[in-house]
Amino acid sequence: MEVTVRIKRYDPEKDGEPWWGEYKVEVDETDRVLDALHYIKWYQDGTLTFRRSCGHGICGSDAMRINGYNRLACKVLIRDVAPVITVEPLLGLPVIKDLVVDMEPFFAHYRAVMPWLINDEPPPPRERLQSPEERELFDDTTKCILCAACTTSCPAFWLRGEYVGPAAIVQAHRFIFDSRDRGAVQRLEILNAPDGVWRCRTIFNCTNACPREIEITKAIAEVKKALIFSRL
Amino acid sequence: MAQGAFQLAREGLRYRGREGQWSWLLHRVTGIGVFLFLALHIVDIFLMSFGEEVFNELLFIYKQPWARIGHIFLFFGVLFHALNGIRVTILDFWPSAWRYQRQAVWVQVVIFLILFVPSALAIIMSMLS
């Protein structure tokens, strides 16, 4: 089938303003949007720039706005978005070129919540045991692939880039509720700051956008509750 | 900056968020509206300190037809803002209720209509009589 792909193009060295490029592509309905982008880059316009790595929904490189909605280009089937497919860069991060955005502000927020295990206690003779119930508390938030689809779907983040954002809170949640971790107090203090969890307005755009189907707004609400009910 | 804000608003409105995004936007707009009314209200109550007559004279503003229509908007704003605030608070305190977040918006719409429509009709009827 033939589809029309409209892509928001922008080359800071040549273009004063972003412009819409329109491409007609012959694809199968079970192809992914990423396949259409490849086809355009390989056979129609080699200057088209986008990120992708694994192409199978694991690396999180190809998050973009497809038909007005954040998704991974490698996970969206053509038949679900045809016949006219609009592709734009993520909103809220500076565009470097075409569909490539500067992810540094996103990763800075990620690093801010200390996304690693904090535990200074002497290691036990064998592993640090954890019951299935304890593990279950943060199982969902271990699935994050840092694609930024959630953070860049969040109106609170669009309005204020200093807001730590859903993805960083998901990462913090993954350690705050881990029974082996001892850094919960530090992380909760960071998230209690004015640009921490309280900027979340419970809008649910992040939950809707997550390609891993993480219950993000629920995780954020759990962090809010931990802040309200725990005595720091 | 102004251009940036304009561009952000345009791009943000083009994002296909669902019920949550639109109720958040309306929450903000009604919040500003209710705040502006409250500011006016504080001023008119303050005029009371200049005596009964000054205050009574000012009240003619609220009897104008456009002010009566404004009442309907005011009631819309206060009611929506309150119900939406309750919905968001519930979802924040019961995180597992997130599964029903879309239904929650529609329940809110139904409660809103039940309270708003008869009240708005009553205001319109009193305007006509």
Side-chain angles (χ1 to χ4, degrees):
Chain A
M1 66 189 292
E2 190 189 76
V3 294
T4 304
V5 187
R6 296 181 71 236
I7 304 175
K8 198 178 222 176
R9 305 289 310 267
Y10 178 64
D11 181 348
E13 291 176 1
K14 286 196 305 201
D15 309 323
E17 287 284 314
W19 53 280
W20 288 96
E22 211 169 288
Y23 310 88
K24 300 241 185 267
V25 188
E26 194 59 38
V27 282
D28 284 336
E29 60 168 28
T30 50
D31 281 342
R32 287 95 31 92
V33 171
L34 183 63
D35 297 316
L37 293 176
H38 277 150
Y39 189 89
I40 295 164
K41 183 167 178 70
W42 293 338
Y43 302 108
Q44 296 185 1
D45 185 348
T47 66
L48 176 66
T49 307
F50 56 90
R51 279 199 189 100
R52 63 99 175 87
S53 192
C54 76
H56 291 80
I58 293 299
C59 74
S61 303
D62 64 349
M64 48 189 79
R65 239 184 317 163
I66 299 169
N67 284 3
Y69 188 83
N70 283 359
R71 312 179 219 210
L72 298 182
C74 58
K75 282 190 86 169
V76 179
L77 292 182
I78 293 286
R79 68 169 174 220
D80 294 329
V81 286
V84 179
I85 306 165
T86 310
V87 186
E88 298 164 84
L90 295 172
L91 190 54
L93 292 171
V95 177
I96 295 174
K97 191 183 175 191
D98 293 341
L99 301 172
V100 176
V101 293
D102 181 5
M103 296 282 279
E104 184 43 37
F106 173 81
F107 286 124
H109 290 314
Y110 169 59
R111 289 190 297 267
V113 299
M114 301 186 290
W116 52 81
L117 188 86
I118 297 174
N119 191 330
D120 293 335
E121 294 164 9
R126 298 183 66 186
E127 72 268 39
R128 295 177 200 271
L129 283 176
Q130 188 168 53
S131 70
E133 292 75 26
E134 286 171 331
R135 160 75 199 196
E136 182 61 31
L137 292 176
F138 64 95
D139 187 65
D140 196 39
T141 44
T142 62
K143 297 188 296 191
C144 176
I145 55 174
L146 294 171
C147 68
C150 58
T151 295
T152 58
S153 76
C154 174
F157 180 76
W158 300 336
L159 293 171
R160 189 169 164 83
E162 289 87 349
Y163 168 41
V164 67
I169 301 171
V170 161
Q171 292 296 329
H173 179 283
R174 183 251 170 273
F175 289 101
I176 289 169
F177 293 94
D178 187 334
S179 61
R180 300 163 296 186
D181 186 87
R182 298 289 174 266
V185 172
Q186 283 168 276
R187 292 197 187 88
L188 286 173
E189 266 172 20
I190 293 164
L191 293 175
N192 202 20
D195 285 316
V197 284
W198 305 113
R199 288 227 174 268
C200 165
R201 299 291 190 259
T202 319
I203 299 169
F204 287 99
N205 272 11
C206 55
T207 304
N208 293 332
C210 180
R212 305 284 293 162
E213 292 172 0
I214 299 172
E215 300 167 353
I216 303 177
T217 315
K218 178 179 176 231
I220 297 175
E222 284 170 356
V223 174
K224 286 176 181 168
K225 273 184 81 175
L227 274 169
I228 293 172
F229 295 112
S230 69
R231 290 180 194 88
L232 294 180
Chain B
M1 180 61 205
Q3 201 198 347
F6 176 72
Q7 200 178 353
L8 181 70
R10 197 185 54 192
E11 289 291 304
L13 288 173
R14 281 184 53 241
Y15 189 84
R16 278 189 27 224
R18 308 195 72 135
E19 294 88 344
Q21 180 179 323
W22 303 112
S23 54
W24 165 79
L25 187 63
L26 198 52
H27 194 77
R28 292 229 145 172
V29 172
T30 54
I32 293 168
V34 171
F35 169 76
L36 290 177
F37 169 76
L38 273 179
L40 176 71
H41 191 50
I42 288 168
V43 169
D44 71 45
I45 293 292
F46 168 76
L47 288 177
M48 195 91 97
S49 56
F50 293 105
E52 200 180 319
E53 278 160 32
V54 181
F55 179 70
N56 279 342
E57 262 184 43
L58 192 90
L59 280 188
F60 87 94
I61 290 181
Y62 294 109
K63 298 200 174 94
Q64 302 295 313
W66 57 264
R68 305 290 287 274
I69 293 169
H71 281 159
I72 299 177
F73 279 102
L74 178 66
F75 184 60
F76 177 95
V78 171
L79 188 62
F80 178 84
H81 202 83
L83 289 175
N84 199 56
I86 292 169
R87 178 183 63 88
V88 168
T89 308
I90 290 172
L91 288 168
D92 271 349
F93 276 94
W94 284 276
S96 21
W98 83 272
R99 275 178 202 287
Y100 306 102
Q101 53 104 352
R102 290 185 61 197
Q103 289 90 327
V105 175
W106 294 106
V107 169
Q108 182 194 332
V109 168
V110 169
I111 296 173
F112 176 87
L113 290 176
I114 291 173
L115 294 173
F116 178 74
V117 172
S119 314
L121 283 176
I123 297 174
I124 293 170
M125 297 297 261
S126 78
M127 271 170 69
L128 296 176
S129 62

